Amino acid sequence: MTSPHQPGAAPSPSCPEQAAVPPPGCPAHAAPQQAPAAPDAHAPVRLYGPDFAADPHGVYARLRQYGTLAPVEIAPEVPALLVTDYRAALELLNDDATWSRDSRAWMQTVPPDSPILPMLGWRPNVFFSDGPAHVRYRDVIVDSFRLVEPHELRARVHHAADTLIQRFGDRGEADLIADYARLIPLLMFNTLFGLPDSYSDRLIDAIAGMLEGNSPEEATAANEAFTQYIMELVGAKKVQRGPDLTSWFMDHPNGLSDEELIHNVILVMGAGNEPLANLIGNALARMLSDDRYYSTVSGGALTVHDAINEVLWNDPPLTNYSAHFPVRDVFFHGTWVRAGQLVMVSYAAANSQFDTTAGHGPGAGGGSHLSWSAGPHACPVKRHALLIATTAIERLTAWLSDIELAVDAEALQWRNGAFHRALVTLPARFTPITPDQAGATPWHNSDSSPSSSTRPEPTSTAKAPASAR
């Protein structure tokens, strides 16, 4: 039987051949029904750009159509596989026999000027090492942070918070990202690593330049300023030790070389700054845009801890990371992965698999979020990070009790990037406060200044590493 449009077929009365445009509803010209196309297994999905920044969870939903591992592009010409499944992520993060953190071979496949290399380029530090080298670096960090007393750390956060609030308190408005969340970690690390407050602005300017540089020249200048800051820090501590993290890194019995010392100090500052700033900013945004937290800052059923927990589940400050490279070709959850191929874990996608109505997710006790990673490379100082973030938010909302968003929550914009979940700005307004007003203020509050040291007694260089205790 021939179709109406095969040679020799008679014209259809309802659809004359002479018609230049077929009439509506013509069955002979109707487009055939097609099933939704399956995703192209070879077409990577971009994890950068405004579409991803605006709706990352929509992108993660698309990525799950590929299976446990999805092909992504984390920067131009830089492909990767992304783990979006919670159980698969845990399996990978706990299998250091199959998966290495050493990126040196992979680096040869990436354009040498790729903007991704500062995040994934190999260095002799705890992030990019395996086995005994990783344990050796990790012990230095864990043992040194153990010497930071919680009450002293909280006092230092109070001092940093009060210093920043003094700068904008009398204006009645602030960008809580640029004026507060991004600066708190930098002020904290400057003092914890052993430099006086007079160095804080140098560190702040250098980090800001690296994050926000509008040209390669600005980024290069900022990187040089940061390198100079680190060199002066290490040089000062070689001359005279103090009760600070740099000195404790130096004196640890695991004996870091100068190169290892510098790279692990840079790592702790960098890894601590960006995620911690994002955690503070994201939690403040959640609190100021959700009536469950505030009718005013002094009221509300949910607490700062609740806000931080919700952020860690739903908007992790570091969304996709944990770069791994298989040491051999491996068949992982239905996908062959070549030796040395970049595989990353999406903490955000894995977390969002949980359904709070099914007994999982925030506060339900049905599982743990992956925002601190897991396994041997899990964040070694998460308790310190949580204390800093919680105290910084509580301090801000205690002084500025009527603080509120200055724009609609829907108008907030998120920064581009494959690795982080971070707001561009967080405009807020509040009743101005001044140093001459009645009552306590950040200018003269009795607990504004921490004591002069984190641990008054000298550090013993005979202290055994954690692995030997």
Side-chain angles (χ1 to χ4, degrees):
M1 182 176 178
T2 58
S3 106
H5 295 281
Q6 288 177 329
S12 168
S14 61
C15 182
E17 282 187 333
Q18 295 87 345
V21 178
C26 172
H29 288 83
Q33 293 287 330
Q34 294 183 349
D40 182 350
H42 302 288
V45 176
R46 289 184 178 180
L47 293 189
Y48 57 93
D51 292 341
F52 177 69
D55 183 21
H57 287 288
V59 174
Y60 299 140
R62 286 171 49 206
L63 291 176
R64 289 198 184 91
Q65 299 178 51
Y66 291 89
T68 298
L69 280 82
V72 297
E73 190 177 67
I74 57 176
E77 300 182 61
V78 183
L81 291 174
L82 190 70
V83 179
T84 59
D85 178 80
Y86 183 91
R87 295 190 182 280
L90 281 178
E91 181 181 330
L92 182 150
L93 292 169
N94 284 282
D95 182 4
D96 55 358
T98 304
W99 303 93
S100 170
R101 297 293 293 260
D102 192 324
S103 64
R104 281 175 285 190
W106 168 83
M107 289 170 63
Q108 306 308 311
T109 69
V110 181
D113 59 348
S114 174
I116 220 69
L117 283 176
M119 286 292 289
L120 297 179
W122 182 87
R123 299 172 184 84
N125 64 31
V126 71
F127 260 26
F128 298 104
S129 58
D130 303 310
H134 171 256
V135 173
R136 176 169 164 263
Y137 294 145
R138 188 179 176 93
D139 282 347
V140 172
I141 295 170
V142 170
D143 292 347
S144 298
F145 268 91
R146 189 176 287 121
L147 300 177
V148 179
E149 299 289 354
H151 71 279
E152 292 285 355
L153 183 60
R154 185 175 290 106
R156 290 180 184 274
V157 181
H158 285 176
H159 177 61
D162 290 355
T163 298
L164 294 175
I165 294 169
Q166 288 171 26
R167 297 181 183 180
F168 60 76
D170 61 351
R171 299 202 312 254
E173 60 182 15
D175 173 6
L176 295 182
I177 300 301
D179 295 335
Y180 195 74
R182 191 175 292 171
L183 303 185
I184 282 281
L186 295 175
L187 291 174
M188 292 300 302
F189 289 129
N190 181 73
T191 182
L192 285 172
F193 276 95
L195 286 179
D197 285 349
S198 58
Y199 277 78
S200 296
D201 286 340
R202 288 181 55 187
L203 178 59
I204 289 168
D205 291 342
I207 294 292
M210 290 189 289
L211 288 173
E212 307 297 342
N214 295 319
S215 69
E217 293 77 17
E218 290 180 3
T220 298
N223 184 63
E224 290 174 354
F226 181 60
T227 301
Q228 182 64 27
Y229 171 92
I230 295 295
M231 298 307 294
E232 290 186 27
L233 167 64
V234 172
K237 295 307 164 184
K238 282 190 172 184
V239 172
Q240 182 175 3
R241 299 289 202 273
D244 52 70
L245 290 171
T246 310
S247 299
W248 298 333
F249 278 25
M250 287 178 167
D251 291 340
H252 195 280
N254 284 3
L256 297 183
S257 69
D258 285 354
E259 181 185 24
E260 291 172 327
L261 170 68
I262 289 170
H263 280 292
N264 279 282
V265 169
I266 291 173
L267 167 75
V268 173
M269 282 194 174
N273 170 65
E274 176 76 3
L276 184 52
N278 297 346
L279 178 58
I280 294 170
N282 294 359
L284 280 168
R286 187 168 290 265
M287 295 174 71
L288 296 176
S289 59
D290 189 334
D291 288 340
R292 294 178 303 158
Y293 292 95
Y294 288 116
S295 51
T296 66
V297 199
S298 58
L302 298 182
T303 67
V304 172
H305 295 274
D306 295 317
I308 288 176
N309 195 41
E310 285 200 12
V311 165
L312 291 170
W313 273 100
N314 300 307
D315 282 315
L318 197 65
T319 53
N320 306 299
Y321 203 52
S322 286
H324 285 77
F325 310 88
V327 298
R328 60 182 182 278
D329 291 353
V330 59
F331 191 66
F332 186 72
H333 287 259
T335 299
W336 276 105
V337 185
R338 300 187 310 275
Q341 189 172 2
L342 172 59
V343 178
M344 293 169 49
V345 172
S346 177
Y347 313 129
N351 288 351
S352 64
Q353 274 191 318
F354 282 105
D355 179 359
T356 56
T357 62
H360 299 292
S368 299
H369 63 72
L370 296 183
S371 297
W372 304 111
S373 191
H377 282 272
C379 176
V381 292
K382 67 178 183 180
R383 290 184 179 179
H384 299 78
L386 283 171
L387 189 151
I388 293 171
T390 302
T391 306
I393 296 172
E394 289 176 341
R395 193 67 163 182
L396 177 77
T397 55
W399 287 128
L400 310 176
S401 60
D402 62 351
I403 192 168
E404 62 182 7
L405 284 181
V407 298
D408 291 338
E410 294 75 15
L412 296 175
Q413 295 183 339
W414 299 88
R415 284 169 42 202
N416 291 333
F419 301 115
H420 55 246
R421 180 65 168 163
L423 286 161
V424 177
T425 61
L426 186 59
R429 58 188 171 224
F430 48 87
T431 300
I433 57 174
T434 60
D436 57 353
Q437 70 185 44
T441 71
W443 286 268
H444 64 269
N445 189 64
S446 59
D447 65 349
S448 287
S449 299
S451 52
S452 58
S453 70
T454 300
R455 186 178 176 89
E457 68 270 19
T459 304
S460 171
T461 56
K463 178 172 149 321
S467 56
R469 294 201 293 272

